[in-house]
């Protein structure tokens, strides 16, 4: 049974289409008819009162789906106009056939003249998985005109202009109210810039037989909510792990405080903090449950490392001599470790394999780890996360809309929780804390990364019920306990 959680790339979708067409009672025409009909049903479900619709039809089979929908809408008595680029009439045999059937039935179609007819719903069937470059000229104008109209847009398969494999938006792209995907969910619609364009999402499998999916692992999957066992009645703090948070250079005390508090709310039995002496009093005032230790030289870290089960290394760490010393001592301990913030920058400058670690870069830090640039990371977030995992050996959480979690030999996961209110200072420190907390409680790096990122996003969503703008890391941390409770058997 296919779901929106199993994500496929375009090669897989094309192969699935081929396999479906090899079934005795299915051919490519059947699939396109089913796609157009499923899209028509979807339109009716979302906009049952629409009387006038405009269908933007591109040259390929995505356009073909649009012509089928237009025919159904017309047969049902709606006022329908199909608009196609004047320079790009239907080009594939299937699209030509569906356009012909629509015309034979007396349907209205016109070449784009610069303005779109007025409509209550616009159907976007310009480009689907076949988009291979940024739309330009006339097609870019059609997309801009559709976005500028006040009508909601139903996108067929992919909002036109989106790279359905990578989530990137190379130029202009449709802002859909809803996107109905065909056969299987597209990996690129779950992360990055695409998220602002897809609207709500649904999937029609076009009744492709389940056997078509045999031997086909998804390229990625949407991270499911983690499951935690209920705590034993005779539990004690020694059973729930000891986190050591390391960071807080002069002038950067807030980050390490947030990481420590988040590690406590993530369920760790004990949390120690190794930081500059000036931050200890503030830490203990804010969170007396944490144990603050003034560490002025790396050697002071040794006894603390010995007692720790996992480390949160990097929040406010800085990049000076003190920072280097703590960074090297922490990694030399071989303890499970979250490497974040300045520790990622130190790692980028002195790369080494860290198989037991969880790296939590934002796109800028990811670019430094890969020796590339932020735009390249964002152009293919899956590839970037997987490349970091391959290069450094541990688990990776590439932060940003639709955070991607990767590790060598594992199917990548993408988060469907979280919200833009979380774009504020301290959120990354809170993520480090909760992942370190799970590492300390015994989770393996990939599971700690995935479960920690999910809890962080879910707590952010709970906090955002009071509004997104102005949401603070401290507000999110206040909801971690509830998020964990939701996931506890
Ligand atoms: N997979 C399945 O199982 C099923 C798939 N189905 C449907 O088929 C869709 C895939 O169809 P598709 O392969 O014909 O590609 P599609 O997205 O229509 O575009 C290709 C055309 O656009 C052109 N073109 C590309 N980029 C451009 C640009 N920026 N600017 C201008 N032109 C550009 C490109 O031209 P070219 O690059 O050759 O110049 C080519 O002509 C899929 O998304 C789904 O809706 C369903 O019907 C049934 C089941
Ligand atoms: K489309």
């Amino acid at each position: 049974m296919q779901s929106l959680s199993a994500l496929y790339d375009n090669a897989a979708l094309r192969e699935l289409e081929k396999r479906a067409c090899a079934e005795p009672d299915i051919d490519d025409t059947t699939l396109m008819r089913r796609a157009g009909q499923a899209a028509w049903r979807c339109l009716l479900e979302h906009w049952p009162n629409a009387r006038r619709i405009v269908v933007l039809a591109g040259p390929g089979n995505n356009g073909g789906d649009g012509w089928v929908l237009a025919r159904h809408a017309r047969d049902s008595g709606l006022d329908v106009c199909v608009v196609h680029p004047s320079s790009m009439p239907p080009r594939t045999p299937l699209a030509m056939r569906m356009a012909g059937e629509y015309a034979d039935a007396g349907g209205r179609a016109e070449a784009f003249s610069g303005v779109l007819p007025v409509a209550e719903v616009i159907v976007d069937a310009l480009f689907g998985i076949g988009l291979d470059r940024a739309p330009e000229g006339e097609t870019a104008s059609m997309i801009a005109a559709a976005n500028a109209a006040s009508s909601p847009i139903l996108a067929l398969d992919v909002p036109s202009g989106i790279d359905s494999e990578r989530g990137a938006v190379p130029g202009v792209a449709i802002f859909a109210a809803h996107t109905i995907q065909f056969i299987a969910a597209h990996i690129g619609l779950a992360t990055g810039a695409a998220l602002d364009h897809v609207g709500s999402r649904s999937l029609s499998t076009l009744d492709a037989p389940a056997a078509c999916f045999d031997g086909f692992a998804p390229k990625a999957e949407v991270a499911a909510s983690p499951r935690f066992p209920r705590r034993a009645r005779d539990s004690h703090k020694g059973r729930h792990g000891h986190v050591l948070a390391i960071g807080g250079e002069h002038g950067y005390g807030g980050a390490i405080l947030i990481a420590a508090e988040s590690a406590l709310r993530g369920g760790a039995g004990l949390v120690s903090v190794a930081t500059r002496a000036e931050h200890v009093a503030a830490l203990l005032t804010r969170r007396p449950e944490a144990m603050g230790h003034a560490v002025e030289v790396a050697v002071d870290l040794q006894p603390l490392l010995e007692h720790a089960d996992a480390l949160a290394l990097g929040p406010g760490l800085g990049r000076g001599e003190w920072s280097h010393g703590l960074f090297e001592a922490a990694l030399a301990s071989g303890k499970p470790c979250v490497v974040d913030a300045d520790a990622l920058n130190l790692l980028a400058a002195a790369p080494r394999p860290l198989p037991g670690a969880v790296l939590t870069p934002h796109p800028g830090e990811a670019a430094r780890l890969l020796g590339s640039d932020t735009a390249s990371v964002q152009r293919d977030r899956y590839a970037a996360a997987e490349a970091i995992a391959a290069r450094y050996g541990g688990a990776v959480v590439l932060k940003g809309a639709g955070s991607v979690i990767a590790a060598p030999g594992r199917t990548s996961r993408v988060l469907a929780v979280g919200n833009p209110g979380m774009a504020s200072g301290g959120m990354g420190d809170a993520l480090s804390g909760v992942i370190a907390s799970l590492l300390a409680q015994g989770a393996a790096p990939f599971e700690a990364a995935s479960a920690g990122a999910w809890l962080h996003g879910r707590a952010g969503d709970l906090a955002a019920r009071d509004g997104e703008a102005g949401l603070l890391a401290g507000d999110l941390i206040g909801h971690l306990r509830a998020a964990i409770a939701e996931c506890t058997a």
Side-chain angles (χ1 to χ4, degrees):
M1 187 61 194
Q2 280 311 297
S3 74
L4 281 166
S5 300
L7 306 171
Y8 291 83
D9 61 12
N10 291 348
L13 284 160
R14 303 249 185 232
E15 175 60 23
L16 288 165
E17 182 184 14
K18 217 161 84 190
R19 289 185 184 189
C21 290
E23 297 289 318
D25 54 345
I26 304 181
D27 62 15
D28 52 1
T29 318
T30 325
L31 282 184
M32 184 173 281
R33 289 195 198 287
R34 288 180 185 174
Q37 189 175 33
W40 164 235
R41 273 198 236 106
C42 178
L43 189 152
L44 275 180
E45 197 181 301
H46 284 81
W47 298 281
N49 300 320
R51 304 309 312 155
R52 279 175 305 177
I53 68 165
V54 162
V55 179
L56 310 181
N61 287 345
N62 192 249
D65 300 342
W67 292 99
V68 177
L69 177 147
R71 173 115 191 254
H72 283 289
R74 196 180 167 281
D75 288 351
S76 301
L78 270 67
D79 178 354
V80 182
C81 182
V82 179
V83 180
H84 58 82
S86 60
S87 54
M88 284 184 206
R91 202 181 274 168
T92 62
L94 276 176
M96 288 162 72
R97 177 168 170 185
M98 299 308 165
E101 289 183 6
Y102 174 79
D104 292 347
R108 186 171 134 224
E110 61 187 44
F112 182 59
S113 62
V115 277
L116 293 177
V118 175
E120 282 130 22
V121 177
I122 296 174
V123 176
D124 160 36
L126 268 178
F127 304 116
I129 62 173
L131 182 102
D132 56 7
R133 58 193 183 277
E136 285 177 356
E138 199 181 14
T139 54
S141 301
M142 287 175 77
I143 290 172
N147 286 338
S150 54
S151 329
I153 303 176
L154 169 65
L156 304 198
D157 209 23
V158 180
S160 297
I162 303 285
D163 178 335
S164 57
E165 267 193 343
R166 299 173 191 85
V169 183
V172 291
I174 286 289
F175 284 96
H178 185 83
T179 300
I180 177 170
Q181 301 166 85
F182 301 130
I183 298 216
H186 307 328
I187 186 169
L189 301 192
T191 192
L195 289 175
D196 269 330
H197 290 263
V198 290
S200 52
R201 275 172 287 174
S202 60
L203 169 67
S204 171
T205 63
L206 310 183
D207 292 330
C212 296
F213 290 87
D214 285 352
F216 242 118
K219 184 87 181 4
E221 52 201 22
V222 175
S225 61
R227 302 308 310 162
F228 301 113
R230 195 169 284 279
R231 288 187 173 188
R233 292 290 96 194
D234 68 343
S235 214
H236 58 82
K237 65 188 178 204
R239 281 208 198 155
H240 299 292
H242 188 162
V243 170
L244 175 61
I246 304 167
E249 176 57 300
H250 295 305
Y252 295 97
I256 199 67
L257 196 156
I258 291 169
E261 185 168 356
S262 175
L264 281 163
R265 290 296 186 198
L270 292 165
V271 174
S272 294
V273 178
T275 188
R276 288 288 196 182
E278 74 204 51
H279 304 312
V280 173
L283 169 75
L284 297 183
T285 306
R286 161 104 190 171
R287 249 344 353 143
E289 298 88 344
M291 295 173 283
H293 300 272
V295 169
E296 297 304 330
V297 284
V299 69
D300 296 343
L301 200 59
Q302 281 313 328
L304 302 175
L305 287 168
E306 280 162 25
H307 288 103
D309 296 307
L311 315 177
L313 176 63
L317 183 64
R319 302 189 206 182
E321 202 181 318
W322 179 81
S323 329
H324 268 100
L326 266 57
F327 172 79
E328 291 297 346
L331 292 187
S333 75
K335 300 270 174 164
C337 182
V338 179
V339 182
D340 185 31
D342 286 324
L344 290 170
N345 296 323
L346 294 173
L347 179 63
R352 70 202 71 184
L354 294 175
V358 177
L359 279 55
T360 56
H362 59 55
E365 289 159 346
R368 284 192 279 283
L369 288 168
L370 291 171
S372 84
D373 57 78
T374 309
S376 306
V377 167
Q378 290 296 77
R379 257 198 300 279
D380 193 344
R381 289 170 51 77
Y382 294 102
E386 287 161 14
I388 295 169
R391 184 175 293 191
Y392 296 91
V396 175
V397 180
L398 175 58
K399 296 183 285 201
S403 290
V404 176
I405 301 121
R410 301 296 300 256
T411 300
S412 294
R413 294 182 184 166
V414 60
L415 284 191
V417 289
N419 63 82
M422 293 163 66
S424 68
M427 288 293 176
D429 308 316
L431 177 66
S432 296
V434 70
I435 296 175
S437 190
L438 297 176
L439 284 174
Q441 291 170 73
F446 185 67
E447 295 309 327
S450 176
W454 193 94
L455 287 175
H456 181 258
R458 175 66 183 149
D461 289 345
L462 292 174
R465 288 177 175 172
D466 295 332
E468 289 182 351
L471 176 62
L472 302 184
D475 302 327
L476 179 154
I477 291 170
H479 289 273
L480 272 175
R481 195 153 47 118
I484 293 168
E486 282 179 5
C487 303
T488 303

